[in-house]
Amino acid sequence: MQKLQIADKTYHSRLLIGTAGYPNFHVMMEAVAASGAEIATVSMRRVKFTDRSGENVFALLRERGITILPNTAGCFTAKDAVLTAQLAREALETPLIKLEVIGDDRTLFPDVEQLLSAAVTLVKDGFTVLPYCNDDPITCKKLEDLGCAVVMPLGAPIGSGMGIRNPYNLQIIRDIVQVPLIVDAGVGTASDAAVAMELGCDGVLLNTAIAKAHRPVLMAEAMKKAIEAGRAAFLAGRIPRKLYANASSPQQGLMDALL
C-alpha cells in the first residue's frame, strides 16, 4: 500500500477533502478528522475565512497538521486564475494550487483552453499545479506534459453526486499518464469513491458528498473506508468478468451419487 506522492511530498491518506458547505467550522473539523485526510482544499474566492466566533479556517487546519491546498474556484479566465494563485501563495506561503478555470455557471465544466493557458504560466512560475479538468485523456496528457504534478478529471459535474459517469475514460487516462490520477468532483457516496479507486485512481478529492450529507462526520468516515477498500481491491486484482457461471469448487474427486 504505497503512499500518495504529490511532487516531493508523500501522504498516507488518498482522500483529499473540501472545506466548503458545512454547517459550521466545528462540524467541518470533525469531518476532516474522521476522513483521515491530510490535504484540505480551500477556495480563495468563495470561502469565509472566519466564523462567528472568530475562528480562522487556515489556523484550524494548520493546528491539526493538515496541508492546505488553496484553489482558484470561481475563476473564468486564465488571467484571474493566475492572479488568484499568486495571491494564495503570498498569503499562505505555499506553492500548491488546485487550478480551476470554469467555462460557465451552469455546468461548472472546465474551460480547457483557459485551463491549459493558466497551467503553462503557473508551472513556469514555480507552482505545484493540481488541475481540475474534464475526463478527457488528451487534456490530461497535455496537462501532464506541461508539468502539472497530478491530473484531476471530474467523475461527474461538481456537486452533482452522480458518481463515476465514464469509467472507461478514467481507465484510458490511467493507462497514458504517469503522474497521480485523482478524481475530482461528482462523488456522491462511498461506493462511488470505491469505484474510482478500483479503476486505479490514486486518490479522490470530494467536498459536497460529505459537507451536505445528513451526517457529515459519519459520511467522512465512510469515505475513508471506501478509499482504503477500493485501493486494496485494485492492488489485489479483480477476477475477469464472465457471462456464464464458473464453479468455484473443484470438480475432481466428487463422490458418485448412490442410486
Side-chain angles (χ1 to χ4, degrees), residues 41-47 69-89 92 95-103 108 110 114-115 118-119 122 127-132 152 158 184:
T41 183
V42 180
S43 171
M44 299 306 294
R45 286 190 164 210
R46 291 175 172 170
V47 74
L69 174 60
N71 73 53
T72 63
C75 293
F76 290 83
T77 67
K79 181 179 179 180
D80 284 348
V82 169
L83 176 59
T84 301
Q86 291 169 339
L87 292 173
R89 180 170 62 182
L92 300 176
L96 291 172
I97 192 69
K98 180 190 172 189
L99 177 60
E100 296 184 34
V101 188
I102 303 303
L108 300 182
Q114 295 293 309
L115 176 69
L122 292 173
F127 282 89
T128 301
V129 182
L130 291 77
Y132 159 69
M152 301 201 299
I158 292 173
D184 179 11

Coordinates of all heavy atoms in Angstrom, one line a residue, residues 41-47 69-89 92 95-103 108 110 114-115 118-119 122 127-132 152 158 184:
T41 N -8.7 21.3 0.7 CA -8.7 22.4 -0.3 C -9.6 23.6 0.2 O -10.7 23.3 0.8 CB -9.1 21.9 -1.7 OG1 -9.1 23.0 -2.6 CG2 -10.5 21.4 -1.6
V42 N -9.2 24.8 0.0 CA -9.9 26.0 0.4 C -10.0 26.9 -0.7 O -9.0 27.3 -1.4 CB -9.2 26.7 1.6 CG1 -9.9 27.9 2.0 CG2 -9.0 25.7 2.8
S43 N -11.2 27.4 -1.0 CA -11.4 28.3 -2.1 C -11.0 29.7 -1.7 O -11.5 30.2 -0.7 CB -12.9 28.3 -2.5 OG -13.1 29.4 -3.4
M44 N -10.1 30.3 -2.4 CA -9.6 31.6 -2.0 C -10.7 32.7 -2.4 O -10.6 33.8 -1.8 CB -8.3 32.0 -2.8 CG -7.2 31.0 -2.5 SD -6.9 30.8 -0.7 CE -6.2 32.5 -0.3
R45 N -11.6 32.4 -3.2 CA -12.6 33.4 -3.6 C -14.0 33.3 -2.9 O -14.7 34.2 -2.7 CB -12.9 33.4 -5.1 CG -11.7 33.9 -5.9 CD -12.1 34.0 -7.4 NE -11.2 34.9 -8.1 CZ -11.5 35.7 -9.1 NH1 -12.8 35.7 -9.6 NH2 -10.6 36.4 -9.7
R46 N -14.3 32.0 -2.5 CA -15.7 31.8 -2.0 C -15.8 31.5 -0.5 O -16.9 31.6 0.1 CB -16.2 30.6 -2.8 CG -16.5 30.9 -4.3 CD -16.9 29.7 -5.0 NE -17.3 30.0 -6.4 CZ -17.6 29.1 -7.3 NH1 -17.4 27.8 -7.1 NH2 -17.9 29.5 -8.6
V47 N -14.7 31.0 0.1 CA -14.9 30.5 1.5 C -14.9 31.7 2.5 O -14.3 32.8 2.2 CB -13.7 29.6 1.9 CG1 -12.4 30.3 2.0 CG2 -14.1 28.7 3.1
L69 N -4.5 23.2 0.6 CA -4.5 23.3 -0.8 C -5.4 24.4 -1.3 O -6.6 24.2 -1.5 CB -4.9 22.0 -1.5 CG -5.0 21.9 -3.0 CD1 -3.7 22.3 -3.6 CD2 -5.5 20.5 -3.4
P70 N -4.9 25.6 -1.5 CA -5.8 26.7 -2.0 C -6.2 26.4 -3.4 O -5.5 25.8 -4.2 CB -4.9 28.0 -1.9 CG -3.5 27.4 -2.0 CD -3.5 26.1 -1.4
N71 N -7.4 26.9 -3.8 CA -7.9 26.6 -5.1 C -8.4 27.9 -5.7 O -8.7 28.9 -5.1 CB -8.9 25.5 -5.2 CG -10.3 25.8 -4.6 OD1 -10.9 26.8 -5.0 ND2 -10.8 25.0 -3.7
T72 N -8.6 27.9 -7.1 CA -9.0 29.1 -7.8 C -10.5 29.0 -8.2 O -10.8 29.5 -9.3 CB -8.1 29.3 -9.1 OG1 -8.3 28.1 -9.9 CG2 -6.6 29.4 -8.7
A73 N -11.3 28.3 -7.5 CA -12.7 28.2 -7.8 C -13.3 29.5 -8.0 O -13.0 30.5 -7.2 CB -13.4 27.4 -6.6
G74 N -14.2 29.6 -9.0 CA -14.8 30.9 -9.3 C -14.1 31.7 -10.3 O -14.6 32.8 -10.7
C75 N -13.0 31.2 -10.8 CA -12.3 31.9 -11.9 C -12.7 31.4 -13.3 O -12.9 30.2 -13.5 CB -10.8 31.7 -11.8 SG -10.0 32.5 -10.3
F76 N -12.9 32.4 -14.2 CA -13.4 32.0 -15.5 C -12.4 32.3 -16.6 O -12.6 32.0 -17.8 CB -14.7 32.8 -15.8 CG -15.9 32.3 -15.0 CD1 -16.1 32.7 -13.7 CD2 -16.8 31.4 -15.6 CE1 -17.2 32.3 -13.0 CE2 -17.8 30.9 -14.8 CZ -18.1 31.4 -13.5
T77 N -11.3 32.9 -16.3 CA -10.2 33.2 -17.2 C -8.9 32.7 -16.6 O -8.7 32.7 -15.4 CB -10.1 34.7 -17.6 OG1 -9.7 35.4 -16.4 CG2 -11.5 35.2 -18.1
A78 N -7.9 32.5 -17.5 CA -6.6 32.1 -17.1 C -6.0 33.3 -16.3 O -5.3 33.0 -15.3 CB -5.7 31.8 -18.3
K79 N -6.2 34.5 -16.7 CA -5.7 35.7 -16.0 C -6.1 35.7 -14.6 O -5.3 35.9 -13.7 CB -6.1 36.9 -16.7 CG -5.5 38.2 -16.1 CD -5.9 39.4 -16.9 CE -5.4 40.7 -16.3 NZ -5.8 41.9 -17.0
D80 N -7.4 35.5 -14.3 CA -8.0 35.6 -13.0 C -7.4 34.4 -12.1 O -7.1 34.6 -11.0 CB -9.5 35.5 -13.0 CG -10.1 36.8 -13.4 OD1 -9.4 37.8 -13.4 OD2 -11.3 36.8 -13.7
A81 N -7.3 33.2 -12.8 CA -6.8 32.1 -12.0 C -5.4 32.3 -11.6 O -5.0 31.9 -10.5 CB -6.9 30.8 -12.9
V82 N -4.5 32.8 -12.5 CA -3.1 33.0 -12.2 C -3.0 34.1 -11.1 O -2.2 33.9 -10.1 CB -2.4 33.5 -13.4 CG1 -1.0 34.0 -13.1 CG2 -2.3 32.4 -14.4
L83 N -3.8 35.1 -11.1 CA -3.7 36.2 -10.1 C -4.2 35.6 -8.7 O -3.5 35.8 -7.7 CB -4.6 37.3 -10.5 CG -4.8 38.5 -9.4 CD1 -3.4 39.0 -9.1 CD2 -5.7 39.5 -9.9
T84 N -5.2 34.8 -8.7 CA -5.7 34.2 -7.5 C -4.7 33.2 -6.9 O -4.4 33.2 -5.7 CB -7.0 33.4 -7.8 OG1 -8.0 34.3 -8.3 CG2 -7.5 32.8 -6.5
A85 N -4.0 32.5 -7.8 CA -2.9 31.6 -7.3 C -1.8 32.3 -6.7 O -1.2 32.0 -5.7 CB -2.5 30.7 -8.5
Q86 N -1.4 33.4 -7.3 CA -0.3 34.2 -6.8 C -0.6 34.9 -5.5 O 0.2 34.9 -4.5 CB 0.1 35.3 -7.8 CG 0.7 34.7 -9.1 CD 0.9 35.8 -10.2 OE1 0.2 36.8 -10.2 NE2 1.7 35.5 -11.2
L87 N -1.9 35.3 -5.3 CA -2.3 35.9 -4.0 C -2.3 34.8 -3.0 O -1.9 35.0 -1.8 CB -3.7 36.5 -4.2 CG -3.8 37.8 -5.0 CD1 -5.2 38.2 -5.2 CD2 -3.0 38.9 -4.4
A88 N -2.7 33.6 -3.3 CA -2.8 32.5 -2.4 C -1.4 32.1 -1.9 O -1.1 31.8 -0.7 CB -3.5 31.3 -3.0
R89 N -0.4 32.1 -2.9 CA 0.9 31.7 -2.5 C 1.5 32.8 -1.5 O 2.2 32.4 -0.6 CB 1.8 31.6 -3.7 CG 3.3 31.3 -3.4 CD 4.1 31.0 -4.7 NE 4.1 32.1 -5.6 CZ 4.7 32.0 -6.8 NH1 5.3 30.9 -7.2 NH2 4.7 33.1 -7.6
L92 N -0.5 32.3 2.0 CA -0.4 31.1 2.7 C 1.0 30.5 2.6 O 1.3 29.5 3.3 CB -1.4 30.1 2.1 CG -2.8 30.5 2.2 CD1 -3.7 29.5 1.5 CD2 -3.3 30.7 3.6
P95 N 3.4 26.7 -2.5 CA 3.4 26.6 -3.9 C 2.3 25.8 -4.5 O 2.1 25.7 -5.7 CB 4.8 26.0 -4.2 CG 5.0 25.1 -3.1 CD 4.5 25.8 -1.9
L96 N 1.6 25.1 -3.6 CA 0.5 24.3 -4.0 C -0.7 25.1 -4.5 O -1.1 26.1 -3.9 CB 0.0 23.4 -2.9 CG 0.9 22.3 -2.4 CD1 0.3 21.7 -1.1 CD2 1.1 21.2 -3.4
I97 N -1.3 24.7 -5.6 CA -2.5 25.3 -6.1 C -3.4 24.3 -6.8 O -2.9 23.6 -7.7 CB -2.2 26.5 -7.0 CG1 -3.5 27.4 -7.2 CG2 -1.6 26.1 -8.3 CD1 -4.0 28.1 -6.0
K98 N -4.7 24.3 -6.4 CA -5.7 23.5 -7.2 C -6.2 24.5 -8.2 O -6.9 25.4 -7.9 CB -6.8 23.0 -6.3 CG -7.8 22.2 -7.1 CD -9.1 21.9 -6.3 CE -10.1 21.3 -7.2 NZ -11.4 21.1 -6.5
L99 N -5.9 24.2 -9.5 CA -6.3 25.1 -10.6 C -7.6 24.7 -11.2 O -7.8 23.7 -11.7 CB -5.2 25.0 -11.7 CG -5.4 25.8 -12.9 CD1 -5.5 27.3 -12.6 CD2 -4.3 25.6 -14.0
E100 N -8.5 25.7 -11.0 CA -9.9 25.6 -11.6 C -10.1 26.8 -12.5 O -9.9 27.9 -12.1 CB -11.0 25.5 -10.6 CG -10.9 24.3 -9.7 CD -12.1 24.3 -8.7 OE1 -13.2 24.7 -9.1 OE2 -12.0 23.9 -7.6
V101 N -10.5 26.6 -13.8 CA -10.9 27.6 -14.7 C -12.2 27.2 -15.3 O -12.2 26.3 -16.1 CB -9.9 28.0 -15.8 CG1 -10.3 29.2 -16.5 CG2 -8.5 28.2 -15.2
I102 N -13.3 27.8 -14.9 CA -14.6 27.3 -15.2 C -15.1 27.9 -16.5 O -14.9 29.1 -16.8 CB -15.6 27.6 -14.1 CG1 -15.1 26.9 -12.8 CG2 -17.0 27.0 -14.4 CD1 -14.8 25.4 -12.9
G103 N -15.9 27.1 -17.3 CA -16.4 27.6 -18.6 C -17.7 28.3 -18.5 O -18.0 29.3 -19.2
L108 N -20.4 24.2 -14.7 CA -19.1 24.2 -14.0 C -18.1 23.3 -14.6 O -17.1 22.9 -13.9 CB -19.3 23.9 -12.5 CG -20.3 24.8 -11.7 CD1 -20.3 24.3 -10.2 CD2 -19.9 26.2 -11.8
P110 N -14.8 22.6 -16.9 CA -13.6 23.4 -17.1 C -13.6 24.0 -18.5 O -14.1 23.4 -19.5 CB -12.5 22.4 -17.0 CG -13.0 21.3 -16.2 CD -14.5 21.2 -16.6
Q114 N -8.5 27.9 -21.5 CA -8.1 28.8 -20.4 C -7.3 28.0 -19.4 O -6.3 28.5 -18.8 CB -9.2 29.5 -19.8 CG -9.9 30.5 -20.7 CD -9.1 31.6 -21.1 OE1 -8.5 32.3 -20.2 NE2 -8.9 31.9 -22.4
L115 N -7.7 26.8 -19.1 CA -7.0 25.9 -18.1 C -5.6 25.6 -18.6 O -4.7 25.8 -17.8 CB -7.8 24.6 -18.0 CG -7.2 23.5 -17.1 CD1 -7.2 24.0 -15.6 CD2 -7.9 22.2 -17.2
A118 N -3.5 28.8 -18.2 CA -3.1 29.1 -16.8 C -2.1 28.1 -16.3 O -1.1 28.5 -15.6 CB -4.4 29.0 -16.0
A119 N -2.2 26.8 -16.7 CA -1.3 25.8 -16.2 C 0.2 26.1 -16.7 O 1.1 26.0 -16.0 CB -1.7 24.4 -16.7
L122 N 1.5 29.0 -14.5 CA 1.8 28.7 -13.1 C 2.9 27.7 -13.0 O 3.7 27.8 -12.0 CB 0.5 28.1 -12.5 CG -0.6 29.1 -12.4 CD1 -1.9 28.4 -11.9 CD2 -0.3 30.2 -11.4
F127 N 4.8 27.0 -9.4 CA 3.7 26.4 -8.6 C 3.7 24.9 -8.8 O 4.1 24.3 -9.8 CB 2.4 26.9 -9.1 CG 2.1 28.3 -8.6 CD1 2.5 29.4 -9.2 CD2 1.4 28.5 -7.4 CE1 2.2 30.7 -8.8 CE2 1.1 29.7 -6.9 CZ 1.5 30.9 -7.6
T128 N 3.2 24.2 -7.8 CA 2.9 22.8 -7.9 C 1.4 22.7 -8.2 O 0.5 23.0 -7.4 CB 3.1 22.0 -6.5 OG1 4.5 22.2 -6.2 CG2 2.7 20.6 -6.7
V129 N 1.1 22.4 -9.5 CA -0.3 22.6 -10.0 C -1.1 21.3 -10.0 O -0.6 20.3 -10.6 CB -0.2 23.2 -11.5 CG1 -1.6 23.4 -12.0 CG2 0.6 24.5 -11.5
L130 N -2.2 21.4 -9.4 CA -3.2 20.3 -9.4 C -4.4 20.7 -10.1 O -5.3 21.4 -9.6 CB -3.5 19.9 -8.0 CG -2.4 19.2 -7.1 CD1 -1.4 20.2 -6.6 CD2 -3.0 18.4 -5.9
P131 N -4.6 20.4 -11.4 CA -5.6 20.9 -12.3 C -6.9 20.1 -12.3 O -6.9 18.9 -12.5 CB -5.0 21.0 -13.7 CG -4.1 19.8 -13.7 CD -3.6 19.7 -12.2
Y132 N -8.0 20.8 -12.0 CA -9.3 20.2 -12.2 C -9.7 20.2 -13.7 O -9.6 21.3 -14.3 CB -10.4 20.9 -11.4 CG -11.8 20.8 -11.9 CD1 -12.5 19.6 -11.7 CD2 -12.5 21.8 -12.4 CE1 -13.8 19.4 -12.1 CE2 -13.8 21.7 -12.8 CZ -14.5 20.5 -12.7 OH -15.8 20.4 -13.1
M152 N -6.5 15.8 -12.4 CA -7.7 15.6 -11.6 C -9.0 15.7 -12.4 O -9.7 16.7 -12.4 CB -7.8 16.6 -10.4 CG -6.5 16.5 -9.5 SD -6.8 17.2 -7.9 CE -7.2 18.9 -8.2
I158 N -19.5 19.0 -10.8 CA -19.3 19.4 -9.4 C -20.6 19.5 -8.6 O -21.6 20.1 -9.1 CB -18.7 20.8 -9.4 CG1 -17.3 20.8 -9.9 CG2 -18.7 21.4 -7.9 CD1 -16.6 22.2 -10.1
D184 N -11.8 14.2 -9.2 CA -12.2 15.5 -8.5 C -13.6 15.8 -9.0 O -13.8 16.2 -10.2 CB -11.2 16.6 -8.8 CG -11.6 17.9 -8.2 OD1 -12.5 17.9 -7.4 OD2 -11.0 18.9 -8.6

